[in-house]
Amino acid sequence: MSGNAPKFDHPCFTNAPARAARMHLSVAPKCNIKCSFCNPAGGDKCVHGCMPGLTDRVLSPREALEHVRRVRDGGIDIRIVGIAGPGEPLFNEETFETIALVREAFPSMHICLSTNGLLLPERLSRILSLGVETLTVTVNCLTVDCARRVYDHVEGRRDDTSFEHLLRSQLEGVRSAAEAGLCVKVNSVLLPGENDAEIPLVARRVADLGAYIHNVLPLIPRPDARRRAAPSQELVDSVRAQCAACLTQFTRCRHCRADAIIDAEK
């Protein structure tokens, strides 16, 4: 199955130089899962990856709208607004309020969302009604055994049913979003010795479900009981090469913060 290409120039969905300025709005504080490599107690917030969880503060929807106005008035021609945390966007009503406000104020603005996928199947119709065009879904593994290493809990639980529900929701969400016409990118955080064998299987599965591009994110270690190390460049290159056999790999990721503002490349 061939994934839907983005209908506009989105720097996070192509390996070409970025020609569009974009910004993240940090309006989603709560998360419904706990990644094992996330360390909120250390000042981080969990958001489907590594450094992307960081933000100076959480904005209200109205504050977020004014933030967009200030940035544009300051000379950065923002074309894309994304919501990627600092928690799980689909678990926070503020996400939907913010999108509606931005859409009303800036009708031509492109809207992008990131999600851990747990609520994606049940929130998809609402996402579509708000005009979201591109979607990033984090899928780190395919089996319950691997999920136990990747996630500390799903909605406070660690039983097989909870992990199965997360994995099933992620895959169903990718499939449904692609079928609905969204351009879908899948992120996978590479944890050496924990999910490196499953990530190429993830790539094959989500390619079959309609994903357009795949982003293998090397772990950025944070203080935790497991004392994880970052993957070597050799391992990153090897996993990406295996994944590239079935799905285009995104290699220009900047590990953007939840409040990032990035101008177009000159």
Side-chain angles (χ1 to χ4, degrees):
M1 181 176 180
S2 178
N4 305 307
K7 299 176 182 178
F8 59 96
D9 183 16
H10 195 318
C12 301
F13 286 72
T14 176
N15 288 310
R19 295 183 296 179
R22 69 274 193 200
M23 65 187 296
H24 286 168
L25 300 177
S26 54
V27 298
K30 299 179 294 185
C31 201
N32 51 0
I33 68 174
K34 172 67 167 62
C35 300
S36 62
F37 48 86
C38 168
N39 184 17
D44 302 344
K45 296 293 182 183
C46 183
V47 60
H48 337 298
C50 302
M51 295 304 289
L54 301 183
T55 183
D56 286 339
R57 71 185 188 94
V58 175
L59 304 175
S60 71
R62 289 285 177 186
E63 289 174 329
L65 176 61
E66 292 307 312
H67 186 36
V68 176
R69 286 200 175 103
R70 283 195 301 273
V71 172
R72 287 171 60 91
D73 291 345
I76 300 179
D77 185 18
I78 297 295
R79 303 289 183 85
I80 305 165
V81 163
I83 298 178
E88 162 53 35
L90 301 188
F91 189 54
N92 292 266
E93 183 63 26
E94 292 88 346
T95 295
F96 304 100
E97 295 176 13
T98 301
I99 294 173
L101 289 172
V102 171
R103 175 66 68 209
E104 181 180 6
F106 304 101
S108 64
M109 188 75 73
H110 299 294
I111 306 294
C112 186
L113 272 180
S114 295
T115 176
N116 61 37
L118 181 61
L119 295 174
L120 182 54
E122 61 190 86
R123 298 282 193 270
L124 180 59
S125 61
R126 195 172 182 191
I127 291 170
L128 295 171
S129 71
L130 288 169
V132 173
E133 299 168 83
T134 52
L135 185 69
T136 297
V137 185
T138 294
V139 184
N140 293 317
C141 54
L142 293 179
T143 66
V144 170
D145 284 346
C146 191
R148 287 187 176 280
R149 298 190 292 271
V150 174
Y151 305 104
D152 283 347
H153 69 73
V154 176
E155 297 181 313
R157 298 168 56 186
R158 284 188 55 82
D159 55 277
D160 287 358
T161 300
S162 297
F163 290 123
E164 289 168 354
H165 177 52
L166 171 63
L167 300 176
R168 185 170 57 250
S169 296
Q170 290 171 338
L171 298 178
E172 172 61 20
V174 170
R175 182 192 65 78
S176 299
E179 288 182 351
L182 292 180
C183 177
V184 179
K185 178 178 70 178
V186 168
N187 280 356
S188 298
V189 182
L190 175 56
L191 311 176
E194 298 186 46
N195 70 342
D196 42 297
E198 286 205 8
I199 288 180
L201 304 179
V202 168
R204 181 173 300 279
R205 185 68 177 278
V206 299
D208 290 341
L209 294 173
Y212 173 73
I213 197 167
H214 185 215
N215 181 20
V216 176
L217 285 158
L219 171 71
I220 298 177
R222 294 170 173 177
D224 69 4
R226 304 189 192 190
R227 298 186 179 180
R228 290 182 168 105
S232 66
Q233 190 59 52
E234 290 77 13
L235 178 59
V236 174
D237 292 343
S238 173
V239 172
R240 284 177 173 165
Q242 294 175 68
C243 295
C246 53
L247 188 57
T248 299
Q249 295 296 290
F250 179 58
T251 59
R252 288 172 57 89
C253 182
R254 297 188 179 189
H255 294 264
C256 292
R257 292 164 54 99
D259 56 3
I261 300 173
I262 304 175
D263 204 347
E265 296 180 20
K266 307 300 184 183

